[in-house]
Amino acid sequence: GAGVRWARTIARRRAEHRQWVPLQPPPVVVGVLDPASALPPPVPDATVLHGLAVSGGVVEGIARVVLRADEETRVAPGEILVAPFTDPGWAPYFVAASGLVVDLGGMLSHGSIIAREYGIPAVVNVGHATRRITSGTRVRVDGFRGEVTILE
């Protein structure tokens, strides 16, 4: 009956979702996306990550990795926000943060501007910070040099 059809459709879509979750499509796709080309590259095990210095200052603190702006996660005072990207929906996460590390972004991206307004050190366009850094890890953000150092 209809219930069996729905159950099959749901199972098929859940399987398809699991297949697509790890993919990271390139910034521009021309034609049809080849899923094999969108698999994320391996994360280097370097302890110093490089990005674009967008807000000066140096701060050490505990990383708080937040992957989506609608997560229930909170950034405790003094923690360093590590995010894949930022937009105005991320505003609540900036209030307590002592530093910012972002996978994507440029000098005029939302997180960069807010970091300068709040006077917190920030490095963006790191590429794989959210995959290399885990919440609870002690890190140093150097917003002058564009470096993020994993300290432990």
Side-chain angles (χ1 to χ4, degrees):
V4 172
R5 275 199 317 270
W6 278 114
R8 275 198 304 257
T9 300
I10 290 167
R12 190 174 64 248
R13 289 183 182 171
R14 283 190 174 142
E16 185 179 358
H17 176 73
R18 278 192 302 277
Q19 172 191 347
W20 286 98
V21 163
L23 302 186
Q24 293 187 323
V28 177
V29 176
V30 178
V32 178
L33 173 67
D34 171 20
S37 72
L39 285 170
V43 178
D45 60 0
T47 56
V48 179
L49 312 179
H50 300 276
L52 182 63
V54 295
S55 182
V58 179
V59 65
E60 285 186 17
I62 300 300
R64 175 64 57 201
V65 179
V66 182
L67 298 179
R68 296 175 18 176
D70 61 356
E71 281 186 28
E72 290 297 318
T73 309
R74 294 284 168 255
V75 176
E79 287 184 328
I80 293 168
L81 172 60
V82 181
F85 64 90
T86 58
D87 59 36
W90 288 77
Y93 295 98
F94 284 95
V95 177
S98 65
L100 176 67
V101 178
V102 186
D103 288 342
L104 302 174
M107 192 59 78
L108 294 178
S109 60
H110 180 264
S112 302
I113 293 169
I114 298 300
R116 288 191 296 270
E117 285 180 2
Y118 284 20
I120 62 173
V123 179
V124 302
N125 208 38
V126 178
H128 52 270
T130 56
R131 291 187 295 138
R132 180 67 182 90
I133 299 169
T134 54
S135 288
T137 303
R138 189 160 190 80
V139 296
R140 178 186 310 114
V141 178
D142 187 331
F144 295 121
R145 302 171 98 171
E147 292 180 349
V148 180
T149 306
I150 299 169
L151 300 173
E152 52 184 50

